[in-house]
Structure formats: C-alpha cells, structure tokens
Amino acid sequence: MIIGLTGTNGSGKTVTADHLKAKGFLFHSLSDEIRLELERQGIAMNRENLIETGNRLRTEYGSSVLAERVKAKLRPDQNYVIDSIRNPAEVEALRATGNFQLLHLDAPVEVRYDRVVERGGERKPSSREEFVEQEQRELESDDPTRQQLRACYKLADEAVVNDTTIAALKARVDKIVSRWLMEAKRPGWDEYFMRIARIAALRSNCMKRKVAAVIVRDRRIISTGYNGTPRGVKNCNEGGCPRCNMLADSGTNLGECLCSHAEENAIVQSAYHGISVKAATIYSTYSPCLICTKMIINSGIREVVFSQEYPLGDVAMGLLQEAGIELRRLQLD
C-alpha cells in the first residue's frame, strides 16, 4: 500500500506522515528530492527556493519527475507514505504503481496560519496576508509544470478536515487507512506463480532468451527451472553454447543449441529429486516448444499456463490441445 499525502500548508501532513511511520510505513517526501537538488547546487533551503526549484525540475524533466524519482526507491512488499504531492502528474505516476491511495488534508486558513506561526522556522510567514498570497500561488496554475494543489484535491480518494486536535486527526486517519489496507488487492494464484516464474527467469544463463517455468500442484511449488546449459557444462553466457554465442537468428540452427529449456529443466529437476508432476500445472514465461510439449504430455502435467508466445509454437499448441492438456495464456503488465 502506498499512501500519498496532499494538502495545504499547516493542514497536518507532517503529523499524519509521522503517525503512519510509527505504524510501520516507510516514508518518502517529494520535497526531499527538491532538497537534494538544492543541496547539490548549494542553494539556500527556504520555501521560495523549494517552490522555484520544484517547478524548474518539472519544466526540465516532466511534471512527474519528483514522483518518478521516488518510485524508483519503492519495493512492492512494503507499505509507504509519501508526502508533498503537489501536481496531478505526480498523482498519476504514483497511481500507476498499483495500490496507491491519495489522502487530502485541509483545515480553515486561520487555523493553519496559527499552526505555521507557532512552529516557526525559516518558512514562517511574516503576516497572514503573505501566508495567503503564498498559498494562492500553490493552489493552481495554467502551467502544467507548476504546483496545482487544487487539481490534486480533486484526485484524492479521501479527505480529512484537520480542525480540532491531533488525537482526532490520528483517529480519522486510522479509520481510513485501516479500510484501505483491508481492501488492498493482492495477486491471484495465477499471477502469483507467473511472477515467481519471471523472477526465476533472471537466473537463466542463456544468451538469447531468459525463460523460466514453475510446476505447481495443490497450490504448492514442486519444481522450478530456467533455460541454460546442462549441469556440469560451461554456462551459455560463459561461452558454453556456440549457437547462442554467435547470436544466431531466431528460429535458426536450433539443433546446435546446447541449452536446455525451462520446462524441460523443471520436469527433469522433479525426476531428479523423485517428485511426481502428475496432474500438476506448469507456469511458463513462454509457451512451450515442441520438444518440451512432448515432455509435458508424457510427464502427466494436466495444465499449461504461459505468458508470451514462443515464435515456433503453433504445432506445439495443437499437440497440447489434441492431448487434452488445458492451455491458458496469462498476460501480465
């Protein structure tokens, strides 16, 4: 779950972020990316420079640049709270990650002004008029690269008016976040096993194509395999397969390839360890070739789920269907 915070100055974003950090959420701020830029350039760290540098970065690198920089630091198995979202392009970039929710925080201007004055610091406005003037520049602009808080408000999934106590704010946030976490999506079984196959493919030592297969029975992985040269033979990426090392055209000189295929390795690994694959499902990042298809049929596997189509797979597909093997394609992002 990634929770984004947007809101006016003094609305309680920092309190909310700290509260979620105490709950185990990891924290990032888009403003920190601007601070890093100011630090690199030796520019004073004040409100005006933060705003101006943020706008410049969006102009030079695109309106979502700050969100993209933070996205590169995120892991899919962690909960995050991300502060200082001020442009709708940033919302769109973060929403593309999947489980993203945007929380809008606000409070009456009199309340927020008093809070900002009380906390002091170099960002403290000299008057209420200056505070309001600064805020108006942040709320909206015809320039898509500048701060557009009002446009972000409209994209928020929930809003909280923080006009009373910190305890009340935390209670409202807890109620919203608890509901979001309970509603958060998790991958279904097919996606789960196919994504594991994608990770396994990273272990492939083949020069031409990285493929992996996962064999599953009763929702338990019983074997995995990826393509590469046989056990005890020099790895393909170390010069072990002449055909791959010469970068042969796809579909040519296949009889000279020394690499075992992913499905083949997964089935052979099961046999090596004495584990039956009868009635199992095999998840493969590519549809099987003809040789692997015959192994799948004769091993007793009853279902094949694949992500990408193998270029020479028409005959193999037909053979699987004739043998009564269930065949499904699962395309992931």
Side-chain angles (χ1 to χ4, degrees):
M1 171 66 67
I2 302 171
I3 295 176
L5 302 179
T6 188
T8 45
N9 192 16
S11 60
K13 298 188 297 298
T14 299
V15 171
T16 300
D18 288 342
H19 180 59
L20 292 177
K21 283 160 62 178
K23 304 290 185 182
F25 283 73
L26 301 182
F27 174 77
H28 287 285
S29 171
L30 300 194
S31 292
D32 285 345
E33 299 301 315
I34 305 175
R35 292 186 181 94
L36 288 173
E37 190 72 20
L38 290 175
E39 186 177 338
R40 280 193 291 266
Q41 298 185 27
I43 299 175
M45 205 80 64
N46 57 48
R47 184 178 179 82
E48 290 301 321
N49 287 341
L50 282 166
I51 293 172
E52 183 59 34
T53 301
N55 291 336
R56 179 179 58 78
L57 288 172
R58 295 186 193 98
T59 300
E60 292 181 5
Y61 302 107
S63 298
S64 63
V65 58
L66 302 177
E68 296 293 348
R69 290 183 179 185
V70 168
K71 273 174 61 176
K73 303 175 182 179
L74 306 183
R75 287 174 41 183
D77 60 338
Q78 299 283 354
N79 288 330
Y80 293 94
V81 56
I82 299 178
D83 192 11
S84 303
I85 297 172
R86 297 187 173 95
N87 187 285
E90 296 165 350
V91 178
E92 294 173 7
L94 291 167
R95 208 178 287 285
T97 61
N99 287 332
F100 173 80
Q101 300 286 345
L102 183 63
L103 180 62
H104 166 221
L105 294 156
D106 203 357
V109 63
E110 297 83 3
V111 174
R112 293 188 290 103
Y113 173 68
D114 289 342
R115 288 172 181 165
V116 172
V117 170
E118 183 178 353
R119 73 189 180 198
E122 61 182 14
R123 297 176 60 185
K124 175 183 173 181
S126 60
S127 66
R128 186 177 182 278
E129 289 72 23
E130 180 186 341
F131 178 78
V132 172
E133 181 184 347
Q134 288 176 342
E135 185 165 279
Q136 288 302 315
R137 293 201 300 269
E138 299 176 14
L139 284 174
E140 54 191 341
S141 171
D142 293 333
D143 185 343
T145 66
R146 302 185 76 81
Q147 294 192 28
Q148 298 183 26
L149 287 177
R150 186 162 283 129
C152 291
Y153 301 167
K154 295 178 181 179
L155 297 174
D157 299 285
E158 292 280 355
V160 170
V161 177
N162 173 27
D163 55 357
T164 56
T165 65
I166 290 178
L169 169 63
K170 291 179 178 180
R172 293 171 189 168
V173 169
D174 282 349
K175 184 176 180 180
I176 292 170
V177 171
S178 294
R179 173 165 50 81
W180 281 344
L181 289 171
M182 287 188 285
E183 294 173 350
K185 297 177 181 178
R186 61 174 183 161
W189 288 110
D190 280 345
E191 181 181 350
Y192 172 69
F193 291 124
M194 189 62 76
R195 291 199 182 278
I196 290 175
R198 281 187 172 183
I199 295 297
L202 299 178
R203 279 289 301 167
S204 168
N205 64 68
C206 182
M207 294 274 292
K208 292 284 289 179
R209 179 181 283 120
K210 295 185 181 296
V211 185
V214 173
I215 300 178
V216 175
R217 190 172 58 211
D218 299 327
R219 292 179 177 173
R220 292 176 57 249
I221 295 174
I222 58 177
S223 182
T224 64
Y226 49 82
N227 60 326
T229 49
R231 181 184 283 111
V233 176
K234 184 186 294 185
N235 286 337
C236 177
N237 58 6
E238 296 172 336
C241 178
R243 187 256 176 185
C244 291
N245 278 242
M246 67 180 290
L247 297 179
D249 291 345
S250 295
T252 65
N253 302 326
L254 295 177
E256 300 176 10
C257 183
L258 301 186
C259 291
S260 298
H261 287 191
E263 301 92 335
E264 175 186 2
N265 274 333
I267 294 169
V268 170
Q269 284 297 313
S270 291
Y272 184 83
H273 293 286
I275 301 172
S276 172
V277 297
K278 184 178 180 181
T281 297
I282 187 167
Y283 291 84
S284 181
T285 55
Y286 278 83
S287 59
C289 71
L290 183 57
I291 293 175
C292 289
T293 293
K294 290 184 285 188
M295 293 184 69
I296 288 170
I297 294 170
N298 286 338
S299 69
I301 289 173
R302 69 180 180 187
E303 183 180 28
V304 174
V305 183
F306 68 95
S307 182
Q308 302 295 321
E309 290 189 2
Y310 185 66
L312 305 175
D314 289 345
V315 175
M317 298 283 214
L319 194 61
L320 287 168
Q321 293 170 351
E322 182 180 349
I325 306 296
E326 187 175 347
L327 182 66
R328 294 188 289 119
R329 183 173 186 182
L330 177 67
Q331 291 181 286
L332 302 178
D333 295 335

